[in-house]
Amino acid sequence: MKVVAFNGSPRRDGNTIRLLRIVCETLEEQGIETEIVQVGGKCVHGCMACMKCAETLNHRCVLTGDPVNEWMEKMFAADGIIIGSPTYFADLTPEIKALIDRAGFVALANGGLLNRKAGAAVAAVRRAGAIHVLDSINHLFGISGGMVTVGSSYWNLGIGLNPGDVDADQEARKTMEDLGKNLAWVLKKITA
Ligand SMILES: Cc1cc2nc3c(=O)[nH]c(=O)nc-3n(C[C@H](O)[C@H](O)[C@H](O)COP(=O)(O)O)c2cc1C
C-alpha cells in the first residue's frame, strides 16, 4: 500500500511540506509506505485542451517538457493521494493546478485511472483562504470515479507565514495526525 503526497509550495522546507510530513509519518507508523514529491517551483505547463490524451490512451499527456507525466504516473500507481498547497490569493499554486488539470484529464480520458483511490487535501495559510484551497483540490477527487475524500478532526490546514511557523500550530499537528490515521483506516478498508 502506498500514498504519494505532492508539495505544491516552492519552499522545499516550508509550512506545506511540514504538514505533509506529519501525515506521512503517521501513515508510516501504520505500515503504509509514503513518498513526498516536490511540485512547487518546477516549471510546468497547464492543460492545452488538445484532447490528444483521449486519442493516444497511453495514460500520458502529450506535453513532455516538464515532470507532470512522471508525477501522474506516481499518482496512478498509488492507493492514496495527498495534494498539499500553500494559500496563494485564496487559492492553490499554479503548479498544483497544472498537475490537477493534466492528471485529472488523462485519468478521465483513460477510463478512470484514479477510480476508488483515497484522496486528501492539505493547505498552509497565513490567515485566510485555505478553505478555498481545500475545495479546489477536493474538486479533483469529487469527479474522479468514486475517489474517497478523507478528512480529519478539523479542516486539513495549518497556520503560518514564514517557513517553520506552522510547527507552533499544535492544532494543525493534531489535525494532520488524525488525517493520517483516517487515511490509513480508509486505505485498509478499500484495499482489503
Ligand atoms: C503569492 C502569495 C500569496 C499569498 N496569499 C495568501 C492568502 O491569500 N491568504 C493567506 O492567508 N496567506 C497568503 N500567503 C501566505 C502563505 O499562504 C503562507 O506563508 C504559507 O504558510 C506558505 O506556505 P509554504 O511555506 O509551504 O510556502 C501568500 C503567500 C504568497 C507568496
Side-chain angles (χ1 to χ4, degrees):
M1 226 183 304
K2 183 164 178 184
V3 169
V4 63
F6 297 94
N7 175 30
S9 171
R11 292 174 173 168
R12 289 168 174 270
D13 195 27
N15 294 316
T16 306
I17 199 166
R18 287 165 189 256
L19 297 169
L20 293 174
R21 284 189 197 124
I22 298 169
V23 187
C24 289
E25 280 162 18
T26 310
L27 286 162
E28 297 268 352
E29 282 164 18
Q30 303 266 339
I32 295 170
E33 187 188 347
T34 65
E35 178 184 2
I36 300 180
V37 176
Q38 181 63 34
V39 168
K42 301 282 172 72
C43 207
V44 292
H45 213 292
C47 175
M48 296 292 286
C50 65
M51 307 295 159
K52 289 279 191 301
C53 56
E55 289 171 27
T56 59
L57 299 177
N58 63 356
H59 300 191
R60 294 174 67 79
C61 173
V62 288
L63 297 178
T64 53
D66 61 29
V68 174
N69 273 316
E70 188 190 310
W71 298 336
M72 71 173 84
E73 202 176 310
K74 289 179 186 288
M75 209 185 249
F76 300 152
D79 303 291
I81 297 156
I82 308 172
I83 298 180
S85 177
T87 305
Y88 278 11
F89 287 86
D91 218 324
L92 34 69
T93 57
E95 297 94 318
I96 286 292
K97 179 63 173 153
L99 174 64
I100 286 175
D101 288 353
R102 286 170 59 192
F105 218 89
V106 168
L108 290 172
N110 284 272
L113 302 177
L114 295 172
N115 280 9
R116 303 210 170 147
K117 296 181 187 295
V122 166
V125 62
R126 180 189 74 84
R127 187 173 180 86
I131 296 299
H132 189 236
V133 176
L134 299 176
D135 289 345
S136 293
I137 296 168
N138 286 338
H139 289 147
L140 169 70
F141 307 147
I143 200 177
S144 297
M147 276 189 78
V148 180
T149 304
V150 180
S152 183
S153 42
Y154 191 79
W155 293 300
N156 307 337
L157 61 89
I159 306 284
L161 173 62
N162 297 312
D165 281 357
V166 83
D167 295 350
D169 183 351
Q170 289 307 316
E171 189 172 350
R173 167 162 286 281
K174 178 166 177 6
T175 303
M176 296 304 137
E177 287 170 354
D178 289 344
L179 176 60
K181 287 177 195 162
N182 290 344
L183 193 47
W185 183 84
V186 168
L187 281 169
K188 284 172 188 171
K189 298 276 179 205
I190 63 179
T191 59

